[in-house]
């Protein structure tokens, strides 16, 4: 139940009706645009405001103040039975309104009645959405970039579910192609070196240098039968055996790291499966039959320039191997044509900007609506501690991985901080701030509000000052204080925030909302007396606090963050 949206729509309708009445009375000419309604930043200007008179000035040829006065005169009688208590004109012609006590009661009733369901919306109408995120080569540990993408994708999927979409989370496992071949050659070099010494085999210039590659090669060797090695086997056979041993281990480690991070997927989709099943062949054949490919220099090319791209792209190299792009086109065709998703969201690093046009071009060439494919491009993360950049793990002296970070930073702080800014913004992650337990740390600040309310309500109940149900619904007439009203207005914004975050594919708005709700509560708590107030007032304030607690918990849950009852 989005009571902010309802109030906005109701005011727009009332202003339109009042204007139409003024036109019928011959006071104003016809031709005005539809009223636009906003929430003023300055609360002295009311709860909602419309600049309708200024917007209509050119079309009507009238002074905005005259228009506003004529509309206000006919608006005031229409407020009876609405969610507004009063209206006035201000400044150059703004019409400002204030919400009624009835509206405040409806907000508290909605939170109490809907419980965990509060904030839900039906903008998705059950449409099937796949969110693909983290997707990486299983050739190395999870990175800090994967950490940001992991919480961004997971939180976005939760927000879309809350907004009424049928959501699936998917990891596209790039277990084929050039990087896997580089990984295989790296393993082979370390394997030979393990048996014959460091100088026995040159290491690939573009190889994977991490100690984990050396350890994998050693583990493979340890599992060989005594006196039997792959040293004399053909190189292709040796690399295939090493890869078959190492890749599942790397995938398992990725899953373990992500599970520790609170991120789980509905499906891990293997790129290699697209090749093995012939689906890449089939997809490229379809592009060819539709006239969107050509051959040049022994390679097969996609006519991407026909679909707005700057250059054409190779689909199949002269050596007969398909490119990543060919597999990506097949993968996205599978999402839409075979599995029937209505919308697919890909979360990529900002350096993948070129992919957005190329992937959409591939969809259009296949006869699929490219607008059903959405992208979230994620900027880089800069780790700092005390203002200084951090690039290396204190434990290993090497580049920080997701596992290293979680060894040092609490899970809740990591998830909150990585989602604290829009994906399109560069993110500075302050590792020193993330471990602080004070109001400067935003996740601590929010969680403390939840714990503070829980402790307070438990204490009041234990002392018999409020009922065990803590007044399921508060009487808004007992809560006229501006700090109380501000809290209720903030509670009302939760469904609106969820809807906005879903529409923008940006879950960071949930963080912003929770910090402001906690801020509203702490201001209220420090200024308004609870214990010692008369019973009806105490029950009403306790019920208000219970609503705040529940919405804080609901928002934290969306982000995969705990809502502690004690801190």
């Amino acid at each position: 139940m989005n009571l902010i949206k309802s109030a906005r729509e109701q005011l727009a309708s009332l202003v339109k009706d009042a204007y139409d009445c003024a036109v019928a009375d011959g006071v104003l000419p016809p031709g005005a645009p539809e009223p636009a309604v906003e929430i003023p930043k300055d609360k002295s200007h009311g709860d909602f405001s419309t600049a309708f008179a200024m917007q209509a000035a050119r079309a009507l040829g009238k002074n905005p103040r005259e228009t506003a006065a004529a509309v206000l005169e006919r608006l005031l009688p229409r407020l009876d039975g609405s969610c507004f208590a009063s209206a006035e004109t201000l400044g150059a012609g703004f019409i400002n309104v204030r919400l009624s006590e009835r509206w405040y009661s409806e907000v508290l009733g909605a939170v109490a009645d809907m419980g965990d369901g509060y904030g839900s919306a039906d903008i998705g109408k059950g449409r099937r959405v796949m969110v693909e995120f983290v997707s990486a080569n299983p050739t190395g540990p999870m990175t800090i970039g994967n950490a940001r993408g992991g919480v961004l994708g997971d939180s976005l999927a939760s927000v879309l579910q809350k907004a009424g979409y049928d959501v699936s989370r998917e990891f596209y496992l790039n277990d084929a192609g050039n990087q896997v071949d580089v990984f295989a050659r790296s393993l082979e070099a370390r394997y030979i070196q393990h048996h014959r010494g460091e100088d026995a085999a040159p290491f690939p210039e573009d190889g994977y240098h991490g100690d984990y590659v050396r350890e994998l090669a050693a583990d493979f060797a340890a599992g060989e039968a005594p006196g039997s090695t792959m040293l004399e086997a053909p190189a292709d056979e040796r690399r295939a055996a090493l890869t078959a041993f190492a890749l599942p281990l790397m995938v398992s480690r990725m899953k373990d790291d992500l599970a520790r991070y609170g991120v789980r997927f509905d499906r891990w989709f293997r790129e290699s499966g697209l090749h093995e099943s012939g689906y890449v062949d089939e997809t490229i054949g379809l592009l060819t039959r539709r006239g969107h490919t050509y051959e040049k220099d022994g390679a097969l090319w996609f006519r991407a320039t026909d679909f707005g791209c700057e250059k054409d792209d190779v689909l199949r190299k002269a050596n007969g191997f398909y490119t990543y792009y060919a597999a990506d086109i097949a993968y996205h065709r599978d999402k839409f044509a075979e599995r029937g998703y209505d919308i697919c969201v890909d979360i990529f690093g900002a350096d993948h900007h070129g992919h957005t046009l190329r992937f959409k071009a591939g969809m259009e060439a296949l006869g699929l609506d490219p607008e059903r494919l959405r992208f979230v491009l994620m900027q880089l993360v800069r780790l700092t501690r005390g203002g200084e950049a951090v690039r290396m793990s204190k434990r290993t002296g090497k580049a920080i991985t997701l596992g290293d970070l979680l060894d040092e930073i609490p899970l809740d702080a990591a998830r909150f901080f990585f989602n604290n800014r829009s994906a399109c913004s560069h993110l500075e992650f302050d590792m020193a701030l993330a471990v602080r337990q004070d109001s400067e740390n935003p996740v601590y600040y929010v969680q403390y509000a939840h714990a503070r309310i829980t402790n307070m309500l438990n204490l009041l109940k234990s002392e018999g000052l409020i009922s065990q149900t803590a007044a399921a619904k508060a009487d808004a007439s007992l809560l006229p204080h501006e700090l109380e009203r501000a809290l209720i207005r903030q509670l009302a914004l939760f469904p609106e925030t969820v809807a906005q975050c879903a529409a923008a594919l940006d879950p960071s708005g949930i963080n912003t909302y929770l910090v402001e709700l906690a801020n509203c509560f702490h201001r209220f708590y420090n200024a308004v007396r609870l214990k010692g107030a008369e019973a009806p007032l105490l029950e009403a304030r306790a019920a208000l606090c219970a609503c705040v607690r529940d919405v804080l918990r609901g928002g934290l849950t969306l982000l995969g963050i705990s809502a502690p009852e004690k801190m």
Side-chain angles (χ1 to χ4, degrees), residues 396-408:
T396 66
K398 297 180 181 178
I400 293 179
T401 65
L402 172 59
D404 294 328
L405 186 78
L406 293 178
D407 286 341
E408 187 170 345

Side-chain angles (χ1 to χ4, degrees), residues 415-467:
R415 289 188 63 107
F416 195 94
F417 275 55
F418 275 120
N419 193 57
N420 212 29
R421 299 196 68 185
S422 173
C424 63
S425 301
H426 287 275
L427 176 68
E428 183 166 304
F429 189 118
D430 188 338
M431 297 174 70
L433 178 60
V435 298
R436 285 175 58 175
Q437 296 189 359
D438 59 34
S439 61
E440 294 300 311
N441 181 343
V443 68
Y444 181 89
Y445 186 67
V446 173
Q447 290 178 317
Y448 179 62
H450 182 272
R452 193 178 205 181
I453 296 170
T454 303
N455 289 336
M456 176 190 67
L457 293 178
N458 287 341
L459 179 61
L460 292 173
K461 289 176 184 177
S462 68
E463 295 180 354
L465 297 175
I466 60 173
S467 64

Side-chain angles (χ1 to χ4, degrees), residues 82-127:
S82 76
C83 65
F84 302 107
S86 64
E88 62 182 358
T89 59
L90 188 69
F94 288 96
I95 299 174
N96 300 332
V97 301
R98 297 191 183 278
L99 291 160
S100 67
E101 195 172 277
R102 168 186 159 191
W103 182 86
Y104 285 100
S105 294
E106 287 179 352
V107 172
L108 295 172
V111 177
D113 288 342
M114 298 182 71
D116 291 341
Y118 183 69
S120 300
D122 192 32
I123 61 174
K125 300 191 180 305
R127 284 176 291 176

Side-chain angles (χ1 to χ4, degrees), residues 257-278:
D257 278 347
L258 289 166
R260 182 183 175 194
Y261 195 36
V263 175
R264 289 176 173 80
F265 293 89
D266 296 299
R267 181 171 182 178
W268 289 65
F269 191 103
R270 294 168 51 249
E271 179 189 351
S272 58
L274 290 170
H275 294 281
E276 293 163 2
S277 68

